[in-house]
Amino acid sequence: MNRIFAGKPAHAAPFDQGVAERREVRAAVARFLIAGFAALVLVAVPVSFWVQAEAERHALANARDITQRLADNVVGPLITDQLLARDPAALELLDQRLAPWLAESGVTRIKVWDEHGRVVYSDIESLIGQDFEQEEWARELLEGGPATATFESQTEAENEFEADIGELVEVYARSASASGAPMIFETYSSGDGVRREQQAVLMGMVPPMALSLAVLQLTQLVPAVRLARRMQFHQAARNAMLRCAIEASDQERRQIAGELHDEVIQDLSGLAYALESEERRGPLELQPVFVNARTMLQNNIRTLRAMTSELYPPDLEELGLKASLVRLEAPLVERGIHLTVEIPDKLVLDRDRAVLLYRVAREALVNVSKHSAAQSVGIRVWQAGQRTQITVSDDGVGFNPAEPRTEGHLGLRILGDTIQQAGGTFEVRSTPGAGTSVTATFGMAVPAVSFAGRHAAATSRQKTSVPSAMQA
């Protein structure tokens, strides 16, 4: 016999349930903290890149200002006709004036270009007098455009002495010679200053921001714990109400089945015996009437007995789920429908889940028996991790779920609502001519209640999906 319940003494239940509840609250708090940390990372990473970009922009702006002042106040007045004629004395004088800048300000290279693209001065003597193709940006700068600054590696033809240095701050500023001729003043500076400024700004902004977000997260932790406990309390209350509803429904079914069996069926059985007696002793011309009446009455009695069998819920704890499902085969056999039941040998369920699985199977088999014209039907119960699933599929005529359901066929719809309240999912799939499958899936936490004859597992909520059109 397949048993779904086995376990520990009853006094372990409150302790295990309390442990499970505390574990659930801790898990909820852990998820909250992990989500908060993820949000912190998602905020901090783009902010860090933004801070670095702003620091670089600020450093390049400072480099432009410094270069422009150097061009206007130091270099421009010394670009004389003698220097343009490459007079050694004029070149020596400019070298002396620029030496402190090259030694102390981080400037590694200086070039002065005329409007034709010729280098008229450089701290590298071999560059003086060389001509390079003038690009569009140079013409715009000579016409009065703003100074430009970039932070990148230098790979152009005129950068043979800077190509191996790495990233440099390159600044182009407009200047003028002593005679008023337009000039381009170019400097290269080490990128270490930009990196230092980026690091300083980043270290100055990110820690306070991270600390603020962390304080905010910790401040929200207490309300989050309270909310998790409140949700757990409401979930437990809802589960208790659902359990009461299921037990009340079972009790009502037992009462109806008992009244049918003890009163209606007994009275109809007595009436059938009376008709049989009258059939034997009555006039011959009335015998066909008595035979038809007795046959109709006996058929109705069999129907009522089948209904009482369907109405009266089996004791799942005594029979086990598989044996209870096999008991549903009788009305199918009468209609020539073959039933197969596939269920794991080791199935861990609480009583509520077992009852719902049985109800899914019973309601689906009632539909198969009445509406499907199927040759075979299968019940498959599957459990993995925290999920338990039951599927009832047949090879009958099927139906179109998009069409309005027949009036009064509400069994599966009501069952779907019940499963929704239990935190499960419920789905009916069917195609005309290709049969129908009914699937219900439940979450199942680690068993929190165990006692002789049963395991009770905590409920794990899942989103419910009930089709808009289902056949009962």
Side-chain angles (χ1 to χ4, degrees), residues 195-206:
R195 296 302 183 197
R196 283 195 299 269
E197 184 165 353
Q198 285 180 326
Q199 187 71 17
V201 174
L202 192 63
M203 295 306 296
M205 292 184 62
V206 171

Side-chain angles (χ1 to χ4, degrees), residues 177-208:
S177 66
S179 61
M183 296 286 172
I184 295 178
F185 183 59
E186 178 186 10
T187 63
Y188 293 96
S189 305
S190 172
D192 294 340
V194 176
R195 296 302 183 197
R196 283 195 299 269
E197 184 165 353
Q198 285 180 326
Q199 187 71 17
V201 174
L202 192 63
M203 295 306 296
M205 292 184 62
V206 171

Side-chain angles (χ1 to χ4, degrees), residues 218-340:
L218 293 176
T219 303
Q220 293 176 337
L221 181 60
V222 174
V225 173
R226 292 178 179 175
L227 179 61
R229 288 177 175 171
R230 189 177 306 166
M231 291 177 62
Q232 186 183 52
F233 172 78
H234 290 302
Q235 178 68 20
R238 195 180 76 164
N239 291 341
M241 293 176 62
L242 176 64
R243 188 176 301 110
C244 291
I246 293 175
E247 292 176 354
S249 175
D250 288 347
Q251 180 63 31
E252 184 178 7
R253 285 174 175 270
R254 290 189 182 97
Q255 184 177 353
I256 295 174
E259 291 178 357
L260 285 175
H261 182 271
D262 296 338
E263 298 180 10
V264 178
I265 293 178
Q266 297 301 326
D267 292 343
L268 292 178
S269 297
L271 181 58
Y273 288 127
L275 286 174
E276 184 178 5
S277 177
E278 290 297 326
E279 175 188 341
R280 293 173 180 175
R281 295 181 302 177
L284 292 177
E285 62 272 14
L286 293 179
Q287 282 188 358
V289 176
F290 286 118
V291 170
N292 291 336
R294 178 172 55 82
T295 302
M296 292 175 59
L297 194 57
Q298 289 174 343
N299 290 336
N300 288 333
I301 291 173
R302 281 195 295 270
T303 301
L304 286 174
R305 283 174 175 167
M307 290 177 59
T308 58
S309 177
E310 292 176 2
L311 282 171
Y312 195 87
D315 191 343
L316 296 174
E317 299 172 33
E318 294 296 329
L319 296 175
L321 182 58
K322 186 171 185 178
S324 300
L325 294 176
V326 171
R327 288 181 60 183
L328 299 173
E329 186 179 18
L332 299 174
V333 172
E334 294 180 0
R335 291 173 171 82
I337 303 175
H338 176 67
L339 173 67
T340 59

Side-chain angles (χ1 to χ4, degrees), residues 87-105:
D87 179 65
L91 293 172
E92 178 66 23
L93 177 60
L94 188 53
D95 284 339
Q96 293 176 1
R97 294 290 181 89
L98 293 177
W101 291 88
L102 292 170
E104 301 175 4
S105 65

Side-chain angles (χ1 to χ4, degrees), residues 442-464:
F442 303 94
M444 182 190 67
V446 178
V449 180
S450 301
F451 53 91
R454 69 179 64 183
H455 282 310
T459 302
S460 174
R461 299 183 59 189
Q462 292 185 354
K463 183 178 179 182
T464 303

Side-chain angles (χ1 to χ4, degrees), residues 49 64 70 140 151 181 210 290 327 347 367 399 460-461 469:
F49 284 113
R64 283 196 304 269
L70 179 62
E140 293 177 356
F151 181 46
F290 286 118
R327 288 181 60 183
L347 187 65
N367 287 323
F399 65 98
S460 174
R461 299 183 59 189

